[in-house]
Amino acid sequence: MINEEVYRLNFFIENGFIRKECKSCKRHFWTVDPDKELCGDSPCVPYNFIKNPPTRRAYNINEMREEFLSFFERKGHKRIKRYPVIARWRDDIFFTIASIACFQPHVTSGEVPPPYNPLVISQPCIRTTDIGNVGKTGGRHLTIFEMMAHHAFSSKEKEVYWKEETVAYHHEFLTKQLGIPDEEITYIEHWWEGGGDAGPDLEGIVRGLELSTLVFMEYRKVGNTYEKLPLRIVDTGYGLERFTWISKGTPTAFEAIYGDFFDKFLKKLNLEKPDEKIMCELMKFSGMVDVADSKSLMEYKLKVSKSLGIDIESLEKIIRPMEIAMALLDHTKTIIFMLGDGLVPSNVQAGYFGRFFIRRIKRLLDILKVSIPISELLYMQILYWKDQFPEIMEKSDYILHVAELEVSRYEKAIEQGKSLIVRLIKNEEIQKKASIPIDTLLKLYDSHGLPPEIVKEIVEPYGIKVEIPEAFDAMISALHSSMSIRKYEEEDILKGIPSNLPPTELVFYSNPEAKSIRAKVLYSDNNRVVLDRTIFYPEGGGQLSDTGVIIDNGKEVKVLNVKKSRGIVVHFVDKPIEIGKEVECVIDWERRKILSKHHSATHILIGAARRVLGDHVWQHGAQKDVNKSRLDITHFEKISDKQLREIENLANKVIQECRPIRVYFEDRNIAEQKFGFRIYQGGVIPGQKIRIVEIDNWDIEACGGTHCSNTGEIGLIKIIRTERIQDGVERLEFIAGEQAIKYIQSQEDLLNDLSKILNTPIEHLKKTTINLVEELSKLRKSIESLREKIAELLYLNIKPEFINEFQLYYGVFDISYEELLKLASHIVKRNNMSIVILISKLDGTVISMIGSEVMKKEISAGKIVSNFVSIFGGKGGGKQDLGQGKIPLSKIQEIDFHKVKDFINNMVIK
């Protein structure tokens, strides 16, 4: 796929560049320096820009971003706003990992034109793959970074620009704009792949630091082969933080990114910046070491310690706190962008990483032994970035509240999990190996929130070792880095249907009020029919399909279900219809109306939930059914009764206002620019044109479902139930229209029935119920008191038998299970050396309990019951302190007390 000619550009030849092979890494690169033998990238060379920047002047991060954007604006590029860091328009990645991710897959596939062509952007990106290296390399690895980029999308019809212009623009920006000398710049040949797309690229290197990547995307990777894309795409990436770093020449990128704020942050952590000479020496060669390789890292640190005349232990004490501080800077910025763009922390998908980073911040603070609320560090970050990203400041209340809530949940999880660690210590395999394996450490943290440091602290006094790998956090991150992509079995729907059928005309869109139409049968088999046009809405977007009948010469064929695949609507029917016939299609209009009301009600509810709970609320899922519907939303805590009532009242207010519901098709780019990415509440919508459902001044979504023409048609919304279906997701079950009225009437019937049963007016039901509950509580207390007295009387009449140092209490009684349990409990409380076996004549229940001193002898009540009832054909078991079982009533008379004594005696001896 790759050959020299791919990279042999006229720009290089005309400007005196020579193609060479690096003597160290053997990669090919282009340079104007004939004496250069190394490619200029780390690890082949050290960072030669530290305290020696090659640019004309130093730039802060805002200045560098503006320098880049303005430069490309002057070159005819349209500046566009950043996309969210949460990639909601994608179903294959959680976060925006590169600027090109904003345009994949719809633009890069040629399906949708780009918003502008060419364009320039500075896009905040999040990558979790290098989390273990963040802080250790001074800024070469970051979780969140800005990718400055210029993109051009060329087609057969229109060539925008390609390799020559791309490299020329890049070189001009570095040399004429920033003042970097030609001989300092090398271009390394490389091959790039990402998001399924691929192409050759050139990496721009200056003084050991890779500043940019110029990708010429022209292939789609399919399996192990490459197919030509319909477009030739210029996909560039200029690292804003790296450009700022090289312009300032500071020891670390964080000092360049944050300036004076870096020192303020260190002060907040009770840290002082180390001697600059030490940091310069460390960072100069940091690009030449693989920090993920502990052996390589240690060799590097030993080398630096010798050159500085500092022993390795002292060096570690200096640099480790700085590494943590830089990781904290990175992670706190990551969190304010994640939460600011609407992420709700949870245990699944993108939400997992929100929780992961908040917990990692807390862990790092604990390692530093710094007691400071995370919200303070986050607020410092918000204030620092507020002028460049004012939208983050607008979400500050949500960011700070959720972060502190997550910390409290984390601390609670640790306390609850400590008992789990104690139980783990008793595990025979762990005791045998005297260590906890890494898989167990990962599971303890991933499933129970128990950090390895806490595990180590608890188990090591018991002689059990815990080795925490350097890459522990990276290993945790990798467990959740890939997204499960839903695969639709479209082939099964169309299997056996001719592939040359035209797309079905969707009359339910063009004429949504039509109850019946005439159509022609294009295909039919035993249970499927394809028509040239249809009035039946196919299942999709969480909405059930229409049903009804197809009338063929007066004979009705039932339509049971409808689905759509690749433009073809398939009707699932109860009998075949002759191909070529013209038929009449009639939908179940009442069902359509109910589903339409429930679908429009869903849009109203999501708008109401957002206004009551906050802008972080997103639709997580929905199902519009006939009898009831559900809406799943992202939210960080359980919805209170008060909030639920507010949501319901607000939704019904919108219904009463009879707001118009407009449905229309809009160009995807225009829709995204006008309404933002919130239109994708229901998920990713394919196509250049997307169908927009707009409730006037309330909610706008890309949606393919059927809807009312105004909110008043819905009539009423009633939320009937709410539950937390998973961490970070709340479910609202609701009904609308006539179904809501029927539900309210059923609740009225229930109240009337209760009123009659209790012989009290409806308005007094609450008071009467309270009185009944209080009386019931008193009765229960009386019953409990009587059981205590019965237990005491029975206890006094049972004569225990001595078995070694223990005392056996045995008896068969004509009492209930509850009274049996009370008696057994009474005995072991009075006598900690007791072994109890009690049997009920009423139902054959067997209960065993043992006193606290007996338990120390590793005798188990559960095993006593299990073995005892098995003699009589029963089943039972339990824990050490309590065993329960049953034997047939017919067997009770067969029980011999002396045999019971011998049985217990044998168990005690064992």
Side-chain angles (χ1 to χ4, degrees), residues 531-545:
L531 306 169
D532 64 336
R533 58 203 300 259
T534 188
I535 196 174
F536 294 94
Y537 174 79
E539 182 182 334
Q543 179 177 326
L544 298 180
S545 75

Side-chain angles (χ1 to χ4, degrees), residues 299-312:
E299 288 175 354
Y300 156 67
K301 287 181 178 178
L302 283 169
K303 179 181 177 182
V304 172
S305 69
K306 286 180 181 178
S307 69
L308 292 169
I310 303 173
D311 63 87
I312 189 67

